[in-house]
Amino acid sequence: MPTLNKIRTALTRNRAQIASDPSKSPPSPHSRTARAVPEPAAPGATRLRAAITAFFAMDGFLFAGWVVRIPAIKAQTGAGAGALGLALLGVSVGAVAFMMLTGRLCRRFGSHAVTVASGAALALSILLPPLARSATALGLVLLVFGAAYGSLNVAMNSAAVELIATLRRPVMSGFHAAFSLGGMVGAGLGGLVAAHLSPFVHLLVLAVCGQLVTAVAGVALLRRHTGAGTPAAPPEERVERHSPAAPDRPRGSGVPGRTRRLVLVFGVIALCTAYGEGALADWGALHLSQDLAASPGLAAAGYAVFALAMTAGRLSGTVLVERFGAARALVAGGGTAAAGMLLGALAPTAWGACAGFAVAGLGLANIFPIAIARAGATGGPDGVAVASTIGYGGMLLGPPAIGFLAEVWGLPVALTTVALLAAVAALVAHLTRGAHRSGVARP
C-alpha cells in the first residue's frame, strides 16, 4: 500500500508540472494529431476539404469540356493543323506564365482567396474560345484561359497543402483523384452533347456550372481565410515543424537556398511523370491503331483504361502514403510505371499494350500529387508554383518529344522514353528519400 501511495503521489506531481508547463509533457503518438486537428475544428476542416475537392473536380470538368470541343472550334476558325497547334500553345504559355505569379499572390492574399478568384476567372474564360473566328484570335484568348487554368492549379494545390498540415494526413492524392473524375465526367458529357449543342452553348453551360461551384465552395474557403499566406491551422502546427527543409525558409520569403534545391528535386520528379501523362494522352491511341492494328474503339479505350487506372490509384493514394511513406510510394510508383510502359510500348498485341497502359496509370497516379504536396510543405505557395511549373513543362515536353523521336526510331521506341523517365523519377526519389520524411507518414 505505501508503494501504491508513492506512485499516486508521483503521478499527481507530474500532472501538476505538465499543467504548469505543457512543453514538459512526454511525447505521445497521438498528441501531434490532437494538436493538429483540435476536436472543435474537425467539422470545419471537413467542410474545407470538401470545398477544395470541389475546386479540383471543377478544374478537371471544365478543362475536359473545352478539350472535347477543340475539333468544332478548329472548324469554326478554319485553322489548319499547324495553325491550330500554335494556337493551342496559348494554353500552355498562359499557364506557365501565371504559375509563378500565383505563388506570390497566394503569399500576399492567401491561397483561399486566390483559389476563389482563379476559379471564377476560369469559368468565365472558357467562354472565350468559341467566340474566336481565326487561329490568331483563338491563340490570344487561350492565353487568358491558360492563365486562369494555371493560376487555379497553383492556388488550389497551395490550399490543399495547408489543409494537409491541419489534418496531418497525406490526402493530396484524393484531391487529384477528384480532378481526374471531373475530367472523365466532363469528357463523357461533352461527347454526349457535342452533336446537339454548339460549342458556345455547351461551354456557356459549363461556365454557369463553374460559377455555381465557385460561389458555393468559395464561401467555405473564404470563411476559413486567416490572412495572407497563413494556413487555417495554427502557425505552430504547420507542416514546417516536421519538414526537414523548413529551417532554411524564412517566413514570408520566397524559396531560398537548400529549400529551393529540394523544391527543384520535387519539380523534376513531377516533370518525369507528367511527361508520361502528356505522351499517352496524345500518342497512346495512335500507337494502338497504327502499330498494333487496333480497331478505333479499342484504340480509344487504351487511354480510357490508363485514365481509369490513374483515378483508381489516386483514390487509394492516401492509404498508400500513410502505410509506406512518401519516399517509398514514389519509388514504387516510378518502378511500376516504368514496367507498365515497357509493356505498353513493346507488347506485340493491342490488348497487351492496354494492360501495360493500365499498369503505367497505377504507377503514375500518385507521383505528381505527392511531389507537389512535398514541394508545398517545403516551400509554401512558392514551392507549389515552382514544382507545378516544372511539372507542367513535362506535360508540354512529352508530346512533341515523342513525335520527334518517333520520326527517327518509330513510335514504340519513342514511348519507351516514358518508362525511362518514370525510372529516373523513382531513382531521384530514392536518392532524396530523406527529404520526404514527415510526421504524417513513415519514411
Side-chain angles (χ1 to χ4, degrees), residues 312-335:
R314 285 176 171 174
L315 288 172
S316 60
T318 297
V319 175
L320 180 70
V321 177
E322 286 181 327
R323 176 67 180 84
F324 299 104
R328 289 176 182 171
L330 288 173
V331 173

Side-chain angles (χ1 to χ4, degrees), residues 64-88:
W66 138 250
V67 167
V68 299
R69 300 317 301 250
I70 289 177
I73 293 175
K74 174 182 180 295
Q76 175 182 293
T77 59
L84 178 65
L86 289 175
L88 291 176

Side-chain angles (χ1 to χ4, degrees), residues 210-321:
Q211 292 293 355
L212 288 175
V213 171
T214 300
V216 175
V219 170
L221 285 187
L222 295 178
R223 280 179 178 171
R224 295 297 299 273
H225 180 63
T226 56
T230 305
E236 65 273 14
E237 294 305 328
R238 294 185 64 184
V239 81
E240 286 89 342
R241 284 189 58 214
H242 51 71
S243 170
D248 291 342
R249 180 166 64 88
R251 291 183 181 273
S253 69
V255 188
R258 187 170 69 94
T259 300
R260 174 172 287 276
R261 290 193 292 274
L262 286 175
V263 167
L264 291 176
V265 166
F266 295 127
V268 168
I269 293 174
L271 180 148
C272 290
T273 55
Y275 175 96
E277 291 186 52
L280 277 174
D282 284 21
W283 293 100
L286 184 62
H287 169 58
L288 292 172
S289 61
Q290 172 185 289
D291 300 315
L292 301 175
S295 65
L298 182 56
Y303 181 72
V305 166
F306 170 78
L308 284 172
M310 179 170 285
T311 302
R314 285 176 171 174
L315 288 172
S316 60
T318 297
V319 175
L320 180 70
V321 177

Side-chain angles (χ1 to χ4, degrees), residues 34-54:
R35 290 194 300 270
V37 187
E39 194 66 30
T46 301
R47 288 192 295 271
L48 193 59
R49 182 176 179 180
I52 296 174
T53 300

